[in-house]
Amino acid sequence: MSKIELSIVIPTYNEEKDIEECLNSILIQDFPKSKFEVIIVDNFSKDNTKKIVMNFSDKMNIRILDNPIKDAEVSKMIGYKNAKGKFFMYMDADMRFSDNSFVKKMLFPFEDNQKIVGNFVRFRVKKDHPPLTRTLSYDEFQRDPILKFFTLGIKKVVTEKKKDYWLCYCDKNRIPPQGLMIYRKKLIKEYIKDQRQLIDNEMPAVLVDLGYRYFAYVPDTGVYHLL
């Protein structure tokens, strides 16, 4: 059996309108299906969310876990503790990968540079997206103007623009406000052992605090997130 490279955790509650498109964007990835898993952590949805998810069970490695507590951060923690992958990420049910090379492109920096501990995910945009989505998604982290004024963009932490990704260096005073990322799962094992929630926006700061400073950013892939 092939070793799982990437675990993707998706918290859900009544997501029948979005979950199929989200999972389809994962299904079409140009990456061996035996090397990634999808973990749905459901808050006892009352619609057809679970039924739609089960339609993918014979197409890729996917499973459903139940969480009676309607708290996405608790669901992420449940997903993390049950994940088998070397790398970990979460995504919301209303997100989707922007292209079929997302996984391949996002995992490459980890192979290229062992010092890299996390890869920031970029939000991407199409011209036909709703106005609010276009307004915020032209910023790589979907920051509104006020947040953008008070926080760092990715260019402020880039140290080298390589062919396939940008190498970034962060310290406690220079961390972009982005929790959506792929990171080496084992690095936060000790940090989360007594935690009830996995608060994704904390992860870059947690990794930096643990002494890990090198991150990556891939400018030509990302996720769509309609607002």
Side-chain angles (χ1 to χ4, degrees), residues 11-227:
T12 58
Y13 178 70
N14 293 345
E15 302 287 356
E16 65 178 10
K17 293 181 180 180
D18 295 308
I19 192 63
E20 184 172 11
E21 191 170 349
C22 175
L23 293 177
N24 274 328
S25 78
I26 300 173
L27 179 64
I28 64 171
Q29 288 299 298
D30 181 19
F31 193 79
K33 291 179 175 57
S34 62
K35 292 185 178 296
F36 69 83
E37 65 176 352
V38 178
I39 304 174
I40 304 295
V41 186
D42 189 71
N43 292 147
F44 289 90
S45 293
K46 296 176 172 41
D47 62 1
N48 290 317
T49 297
K50 283 188 173 182
K51 182 178 179 180
I52 294 170
V53 170
M54 291 308 299
N55 289 337
F56 287 82
S57 61
D58 60 346
K59 301 174 184 177
M60 61 182 175
N61 184 1
I62 190 168
R63 52 195 163 118
I64 301 175
L65 304 176
D66 289 320
N67 173 22
I69 303 171
K70 292 183 175 64
D71 185 316
E73 278 65 45
V74 172
S75 292
K76 292 170 189 174
M77 181 63 80
I78 291 172
Y80 179 93
K81 290 183 175 180
N82 285 273
K84 301 175 181 177
K86 180 179 179 181
F87 302 98
F88 177 90
M89 75 171 293
Y90 90 93
M91 64 189 299
D92 295 336
D94 61 351
M95 294 178 182
R96 50 203 50 89
F97 297 150
S98 65
D99 58 80
N100 65 359
S101 297
F102 174 88
V103 172
K104 181 185 292 185
K105 291 177 180 177
M106 292 294 288
L107 291 184
F108 174 77
F110 296 103
E111 300 172 5
D112 188 61
N113 187 335
Q114 292 300 310
K115 290 184 177 180
I116 291 173
V117 297
N119 195 348
F120 294 109
V121 175
R122 176 187 182 181
F123 288 101
R124 304 197 76 190
V125 64
K126 291 182 177 179
K127 291 182 179 179
D128 61 351
H129 281 167
L132 179 59
T133 299
R134 293 201 312 272
T135 299
L136 293 183
S137 297
Y138 282 118
D139 177 79
E140 69 267 22
F141 297 146
Q142 276 191 341
R143 295 173 297 169
D144 63 46
I146 295 176
L147 182 61
K148 188 174 181 178
F149 180 81
F150 286 104
T151 59
L152 294 176
I154 196 66
K155 292 181 180 179
K156 296 294 185 179
V157 295
V158 171
T159 62
E160 181 182 359
K161 292 185 178 180
K162 300 174 75 69
K163 177 183 175 183
D164 298 301
Y165 66 93
W166 296 354
L167 181 64
C168 306
Y169 181 86
C170 299
D171 58 40
K172 64 180 182 180
N173 297 314
R174 296 170 60 80
I175 304 173
Q178 173 64 307
L180 185 59
M181 63 186 302
I182 296 177
Y183 54 88
R184 297 184 191 272
K185 180 176 178 287
K186 67 179 182 179
L187 298 182
I188 67 163
K189 185 177 180 180
E190 286 300 310
Y191 170 78
I192 59 90
K193 66 181 181 181
D194 297 320
Q195 305 282 343
R196 183 166 174 263
Q197 297 175 307
L198 182 63
I199 302 176
D200 49 278
N201 286 332
E202 291 184 352
M203 285 307 103
V206 166
L207 289 167
V208 168
D209 191 54
L210 291 172
Y212 305 110
R213 306 295 174 87
Y214 287 97
F215 295 79
Y217 174 78
V218 181
D220 65 346
T221 193
V223 299
Y224 295 133
H225 183 210
L226 273 65
L227 300 170

